[in-house]
Amino acid sequence: MKESDAKKLLRKYNAGIATEDERSIVEGWYNSSEFFAPAPDNNSIEAANKRVWKRIDAKNSSPIKLLARIAAAASVLVMLSTGGYFLYQSGSSKESLTQASIVKPGHAQATLILANGQHIILSPKLKGNLATQGKVVLQAKGINGIAYSVNAKTSSPEIFNKLVTGRGEQSPFPITLSDGTKVWLNAESSLVFPVQFKGKERIVKLEGEGYFEVCHDKLHPFKVISRNQVTEDIGTKFNMNAYKDEPVITTTLLEGAVKINNNLIINPDEQSNLDQSGAIIVKRTDAEAAIAWKNGKFIFQSENLHAVMRKLVRWYNIEVIYQGDVFQKNITGSVSRFDDISKTLNKISFASGVHFKVEGRRITVIN
């Protein structure tokens, strides 16, 4: 691809008139790039312009190598030309970068609260029997998670446990319920469940976000209750986002089928959005993007900036305030959940055109 062609494609992308294939190419360039820097001056912009295009030699490059070089060029030039850089607090550049790098990403940890009030911090190092509740033994299996095992045919009394993650945490492994169902929790979430299921239904309660791999049993339906939604599995792997500060409850299906509020059925690669009035919208989606958090990524699909920042608040444990109108800023792209906040905000700045001021754990979004 010639320099003129690449620049033409970038102009179409920035103007919002690129085709879906063209958007995919540009976003692929951007996501593969490591070229980010704070507040360049005019001289460094011109130097970068000459340097990155000099690296592209279509005559001597294979298609794969050429794409990688264009990716670097495109990312640098678009970032510099759109002013997509950090606005840090006053002080030297070195000091400001150090300040920003203090905000580290979250980590794998969760707390299990037993019926007697005991708190168990979950980590991959846990092994062996942790507790016995009624006839149910709680076992830690290292990186394979923890499991509830019924060690007798007789029923235990009704006992409930609670799995909790705070800001900056996500469950380090699945928790395996007594029926074999596996559950993972995202940051700032909780799951209340019985140590042994009884009766005709298996019911758990979710706040926040969780991913479920349900052991199907048509005689004993598995149901997740969250706010004003009841989700019933029909042989299912699904993700639920039910944070209280989100305007809708989002349920995304990967395998099988689920029934929403006893009537609506959604199928694989479909997503339901239930608002506070009870209205439901179903749309096709990339189901893998919904569980990106579980796989170490943020994937944004034309999400408004406020929704994006709410995700960062939960994972990085930060405070966000806004200056100016940013409601119309939409973000598409992906970043690693393991990046420091500086790199993550750099990419968001590039994608949205907003700037950020970093003061400890307070992030100011400036239009």
Side-chain angles (χ1 to χ4, degrees), residues 335-354:
V335 295
S336 171
R337 281 167 70 92
F338 302 111
D339 286 342
D340 289 351
I341 193 108
S342 56
K343 189 171 184 179
T344 299
L345 292 179
N346 254 327
K347 288 192 173 185
I348 294 173
S349 179
F350 165 84
S352 65
V354 302

Side-chain angles (χ1 to χ4, degrees), residues 50-347:
K50 294 178 179 179
R51 184 170 63 255
V52 296
W53 285 115
K54 187 180 291 185
R55 295 175 59 191
I56 299 176
D57 182 2
K59 294 181 180 180
N60 299 316
S61 297
S62 69
I64 293 176
K65 291 181 179 179
L66 177 60
L67 179 61
R69 291 177 182 178
I70 294 176
S75 298
V76 172
L77 295 178
V78 174
M79 182 198 74
L80 297 179
S81 64
T82 59
Y85 52 79
F86 277 109
L87 177 61
Y88 289 108
Q89 63 178 1
S90 60
S92 70
S93 175
K94 183 176 180 180
E95 290 174 347
S96 297
L97 286 169
T98 301
Q99 176 78 6
S101 67
I102 292 173
V103 183
K104 299 293 184 181
H107 60 287
Q109 181 173 298
T111 302
L112 183 66
I113 304 174
L114 305 185
N116 63 5
Q118 179 183 354
H119 286 54
I120 299 176
I121 305 299
L122 302 185
S123 75
K125 295 180 179 180
L126 283 177
K127 290 184 178 181
N129 292 348
L130 301 179
T132 299
Q133 302 175 90
K135 300 294 183 179
V136 179
V137 177
L138 176 60
Q139 297 176 312
K141 302 180 178 182
I143 60 173
N144 294 317
I146 60 173
Y148 288 79
S149 302
V150 180
N151 64 0
K153 293 183 179 180
T154 57
S155 296
S156 296
E158 193 168 46
I159 300 172
F160 290 89
N161 285 182
K162 186 175 185 178
L163 182 65
V164 178
T165 55
R167 284 191 178 183
E169 296 180 345
Q170 72 178 56
S171 53
F173 39 59
I175 181 170
T176 303
L177 306 181
S178 62
D179 65 339
T181 293
K182 294 183 178 180
V183 187
W184 290 256
L185 287 187
N186 200 352
E188 206 169 8
S189 302
S190 68
L191 182 77
V192 177
F193 56 93
V195 300
Q196 182 179 8
F197 290 106
K198 296 181 177 182
K200 295 182 179 180
E201 297 179 328
R202 297 169 292 161
I203 297 176
V204 301
K205 295 181 179 180
L206 172 72
E207 289 188 7
E209 185 167 20
Y211 171 68
F212 296 79
E213 292 185 354
V214 180
C215 278
H216 184 61
D217 178 355
K218 65 180 181 180
L219 298 179
H220 302 87
F222 186 94
K223 296 183 177 182
V224 182
I225 297 176
S226 189
R227 287 160 54 187
N228 59 334
Q229 177 172 305
V230 178
T231 303
E232 179 181 339
D233 98 282
I234 309 175
T236 314
K237 293 182 180 179
F238 64 96
N239 189 82
M240 280 189 65
N241 183 325
Y243 288 105
K244 290 182 178 180
D245 60 351
E246 294 294 342
V248 297
I249 297 176
T250 301
T251 306
T252 309
L253 190 67
L254 284 83
E255 292 183 14
V258 292
K259 185 185 295 184
I260 306 296
N261 287 350
N262 297 317
N263 51 37
L264 177 67
I265 294 179
I266 64 173
N267 299 299
D269 291 316
E270 289 185 342
Q271 183 179 87
S272 69
N273 294 289
L274 174 69
D275 66 23
Q276 295 179 358
S277 71
I280 301 179
I281 296 175
V282 177
K283 63 181 181 180
R284 296 288 295 176
T285 190
D286 176 5
E288 292 296 328
I291 61 168
W293 64 268
K294 177 176 168 289
N295 299 323
K297 288 184 178 182
F298 290 107
I299 296 181
F300 308 122
Q301 297 180 305
S302 191
E303 297 182 43
N304 69 65
L305 186 60
H306 282 258
V308 169
M309 296 307 294
R310 286 195 296 270
K311 293 180 178 179
L312 300 191
V313 165
R314 299 178 194 121
W315 183 236
Y316 288 96
N317 190 19
I318 56 174
E319 175 191 1
V320 175
I321 57 178
Y322 297 90
Q323 289 184 7
D325 182 12
V326 297
F327 284 91
Q328 302 305 316
K329 306 291 185 179
N330 288 334
I331 311 295
T332 295
S334 67
V335 295
S336 171
R337 281 167 70 92
F338 302 111
D339 286 342
D340 289 351
I341 193 108
S342 56
K343 189 171 184 179
T344 299
L345 292 179
N346 254 327
K347 288 192 173 185

